[in-house]
Amino acid sequence: MEPATQARLSQLRGNAPAKRHNARTVAALTGNPGCARRAVLDAAGIDKNALAAQVGFPAKFGQSQFAITRGNSFEAQVKANGYAQLVRMLRETLGLDIEEVGSKDLETVGGNESQELRHIRARQALQAAVEGREPLTFLDHPLLRLDVGGNNVYLEPDLVAFHHDGVLHVVEIKSFAIIDDQADGSKVAAAARQSAVYVLALRRLLGDDRVSHDVVLVCPKDFSNQPTAVKIDVRKQLIILDHQLTRLARIESLVELLPPGVSLDLATHTREELLTTLATMEARYEPSCLNSCEMAYLCRHEAAGCTSALGATVREELGGVETVARALELAAGRAVPSVEENDAAAMLRNTARIYGSVAPA
Amino acid sequence: MTPAFLSEQATLAILDDFRSGQHRGVVVDSPPGAGKSTLVVRAAAELVEDGQRLMIVAQTNEQVDDLTVNLAGRLPGALIGRLSGGSYVRSERLARLANVACDTAVAALTGCAVTIATAAKWAYVKDHSWEWAIVDEAYQMRSDALLAVAPRFERALFVGDPGQLDPFSVVENDRWRGLTWDPMQSAVAGLLRNNPGLPVHRLPVSWRLPSTAQPVIAPAFYPFTGFRTGTGPGERELTYTTTGFGRTPVDRVLATAASSGWGYLELPARHTMRTDGEAVEAVADVARRFLHRGTMARSGDKVEPVTADRIAVGAAHRDQVAALQAALADAPGITVDTANRLQGREYDVTVVLHPLSGRRDATAFHLEAGRLCVLTSRHRQACVVVGRAGIHELLDAHPSVEPVHLHEPVKFPDGWAANQTVMTHLEQHRVPA
Amino acid sequence: MSAISSYARALAVDGGRAFPIATRRHVHIAGEPLVLIPLTMAGEANAPLAAMVGTRRDDPALLIVPQPRNRDLRFAFADELAAVVLRYVEDRTRQGIETYGKNQDPRYLDAPQLLVPNPGGVGFVRLFGRSTRFRRTTGEYAVSPDVPLLGRWLSFLAERAEHPGSSALLPMTSALNLHWATGQSSLEDTNLAATLGWITSGPDAAREAEDPTVWPPAGPSTDPTFDNEILAPALRQWDEGRHERARALLDRDLRTQLEPTWRLMWQAIDLLRALPAGDSVDARWTEDRNEFTSYYMYVNSGGYPQPRRDQAVAAARRLQRLEREQTAFDATLALDDPLVMANYRVTGEAFAGTVVESEPDRKVPGDKGRRVLRPLLVVRSDDPLRLTVGTDVVSPGRRKQVAKILEIDGDRVTLQIEKGMTVAPTPAVGEEITYTSVFPEGMQSPKLPTAEDTPWTHGGPPQPYVASDDDAREVWE
């Protein structure tokens, strides 16, 4: 990334510390890649949760302590006793001829180690494992690094990798249930996207052929607390992620569109100032943002009266006309359509006539 | 090695495997125009010549009739049974053949060496079975349809094009996801998941597509297997007997199509309705212009005029097809149809309304790899795509939020990636309208 | 979603209230439906936390699990829920029985109808049915005999919910969204309070519905803030042995979470009941009664619990049936309701107009040389005509009278009546009439092999189900 862009982004963030990337935030780049607002806020490392609250549109996905507790205890259970349950599953469920020879937790011990050092330590351990120089089966919490839009970001080391026959596999431990061999498709998709981030980061570190595109998802089985494992092929997620990361160079052109000197520093700006600045970053709101983006309630508020706020299908069925008011004017024949609106206007007039002929008054 | 040699090698290997009796099923993946029907007819004929009887399953009445005609010609001494449903009206081309018997009851066709019917009709046949079967267009067949007909045969050859559209259902239900016998998947997908050891062959040479199609269609839609074209550079040629002045975008895109096998007529960016009037007109203009310019198609030494019946116009939606048909009312011989109905068909030139043209967003329907594959692989000479600027941006902004189901094999190619590949290529042949 | 419903959404945004997209009620609302609002505990696999349940709006029962992580307490809840559900099911059979068809098959006059707030509620019923139907009533991990029975009935209802047109288990949001278009997205429509807000009040009510302190979520998930600030301390009371105190707290707090939704459910029932029923609603409910009757008899004869997954033949059979039902449902909805038919008029699969010419006595030469009656009529329509010559069409008032399109000339459609001349008179000049190519039936499904004859292409015959100790144990580990 150009130093100028870097400086602009840092100015935008102000004095607040940059939010760290993790696999989830990197994976989110593929969630709504057309949204310039989200792209800029993420690139600048801005705390979107705090920002949304500050401007009066707080995000509504708090986390229940029950879910957090359950997630942590399940993960601890799977890793307990030297990954005993994990080994059993890799053998039994996945039929891998795996020998448990050793494991290494790469979590910081002392606490004052720099990220750079931790990353180097992780790289050395991973390389030693895949090259067979050190008998390691499990590597927990390796600190990985990924180039995101020209920025080297460290990923929260929330993963276990296991080594088998010179190839590393990513293990993703999740606490949603696999019931009768099925699980919530959107949760699995989210897990697959996150794993793909780790696979990509590991591949950049060790080479493509050293890291498998089959990741291992570990979840509770049926209604029990017993874990079960299933392989997930993340090749598609890798293609998309790779493409979107390459495209992130675009951030520079988005940043250039910002008025000079703007900042979203929560400490120094009023709500109105923040909203004015946010308004310079074009959002691409769609209803599904409500489930995934901290800024969604603000964006929905801004999109009020737009057909897009009703969903992509509705917008299309309203002839792609930008606003509800305009669509209804065209439908009622109260407005003269532009050349570009001709097709839509004809369709809308027809729909309105048919609706009016049968709808109760 | 010549394409003919490669193709023959592959065919021999397929027939060997099929006839060896070692496998209950043999699967043949075939890229567009790779001689699928030739293979089916040959496999059937060899069985008959060996004194065997067999059944053939195809998907549509038209496919059944095509095969019946070809087989009747290839096996003049054998009786071919054409089994049909009650509402089927025997086509004229069948009526003329002396060695074809048509009936709605299989019992009336017991003397036939080959019995051919659609999968839908076979599903109602009871109490008869065959040692040998050939299932044609098996990727268009749904797994539950195969379940209904499979008790009729001992072993079968499954032939089809994996790049085409997946079978469809009006029902949305995830309850069978992950099961190897998920009834919503294609017959071949289910067959291979339940019988992972079955041999899968592929036909290596597309005889239909021109050499210019290979660098696009192969990587976009057949990323792991690829294929080569039967003809090399210069063996196919499109010429125009009347001069275009080269000034209009339509003539320029025709020139591009003649020189490169591809043309991309790009209209200015705009979000439009599906039945974008301007785009529809542009597609119709291009198709009509092929006729008016007295287009000649050369393949090897053979030069033939590109008449209306050698031109197809394709689109994603039925309302688009209706609009295109209206716009081409003055050229009634030109085929205008949806991707679904163009499957398996072949023309000299095709003109395609890009499924993503004028759209604000892409749905799974619009991104389906099979749809674009069918639309861009029907031609022997050239394919012209018409679309509005902005398709690449649309693809870049497309959110990746598809659910992932456990134990379900990932399907390749990915529609989004295939669209990217095709678009990147088309942009090299761009003519702004 | 359709052009009509999207247009109605636009009208709703502009008018500040929901707009109708149906003039008839297309779901059956039973005289005595069983309303169920389940809540689950975050992070667990469908672990029940509480439920409000009952057939009378002024008398809901509140069932709670004082510590949802405790398996014994979960099954105590299942037992309590079973008491309500099984009594309700038994009561349906007391409404009497009839016989039908040439075999004089029995059919109860009533059937159970379970109403839940949203699709998540259907998911709860399905999973709770799954987690209880295999339980053993003897030996280690024994549960009350009612529990596996509850599991079967919940599983039955959840399976019925997959069938297009069934009213056996309805998510209320979907039932409302079938009849009204709100001024919000379909994603936001899954919030019951918001959807009802649009129907009965306006956008402000819908926004308020998103505030969990005003309108607690309609389940099964609870509001995380409620979890952290109210539920967690109450559960701690239980964990620390103060059971009575915990129960009292939970009873009070969960009631506050559930009661608003309970009121909304009955408000929604009133709204739906106020709509006149579509002509085919009764026939579809009859199908629900058929299914109920046969399952009731199966259960009483000691039948197995439903399998975990469909085997190959069962899967194919079910898909074919669902497809038939979907086609029939889509078509009868349109034939029953001009506002639903409007969708097909927009897409050109139907047209409405005025009969301008009619020849009821017209005869044409038939196949066997005899002249046969083929009445002719011409309809003038302003609708976009996309049907093609040769297409068969029917009219809502004349579903058995099939006409074929002979010619389309501008806004004039010429039709010839092909079948059912006697079931209704030929439409007369001046009559307003609608024709559509959307037929309620016609899809045939072939006979599939039996499960024992599952062919090799689909994995061969499956292993028959044998109950095992794993079945009994699975939820306890």
Side-chain angles (χ1 to χ4, degrees), chain A residues 32 85 117 139 185 209-210 217 255 263 277 287-288 291 337:
Chain A
N32 189 358
Q85 287 196 331
L117 274 175
L139 296 117
D209 52 349
R210 289 295 198 188
L217 177 67
V255 169
S263 151
T277 304
S288 63
N291 291 336

Side-chain angles (χ1 to χ4, degrees), chain B residues 332-371:
Chain B
I334 295 179
T335 305
V336 185
D337 233 321
T338 55
N340 298 57
R341 296 170 58 103
L342 288 173
Q343 297 196 87
R345 314 257 283 273
E346 174 177 304
Y347 301 87
D348 280 331
V349 296
T350 55
V351 190
V352 173
L353 177 55
H354 197 291
L356 296 171
S357 174
R359 294 195 59 84
R360 284 168 184 267
D361 44 61
T363 68
F365 174 90
H366 298 100
L367 286 177
E368 189 176 348
R371 195 168 316 279

Side-chain angles (χ1 to χ4, degrees), chain B residues 100 177 203 221 229 311 314:
Chain B
V100 171
R177 296 272 192 183
L203 294 174
F221 303 111
T229 52
I311 302 176

Side-chain angles (χ1 to χ4, degrees), chain B residues 206-235:
Chain B
S206 170
W207 299 103
R208 171 197 307 150
L209 290 171
S211 61
T212 49
Q214 187 183 318
V216 198
I217 304 299
F221 303 111
Y222 303 87
F224 300 126
T225 53
F227 62 82
R228 58 172 294 181
T229 52
T231 52
E235 287 181 61

Side-chain angles (χ1 to χ4, degrees), chain B residues 237-277:
Chain B
E237 191 186 21
L238 210 54
T239 52
Y240 307 107
T241 43
T242 66
T243 320
F245 297 101
R247 299 265 164 79
T248 69
V250 170
D251 276 329
R252 276 172 45 216
V253 85
L254 255 65
T256 311
S259 64
S260 72
W262 293 98
Y264 177 46
L265 184 63
E266 188 178 68
L267 277 64
R270 192 213 288 174
H271 297 306
T272 65
M273 300 258 301
R274 246 156 47 180
T275 50
D276 178 359

Side-chain angles (χ1 to χ4, degrees), chain B residues 19-31:
Chain B
R19 299 291 303 282
S20 72
Q22 285 176 19
H23 316 284
R24 293 197 78 173
V26 173
V27 175
V28 181
D29 285 357
S30 164

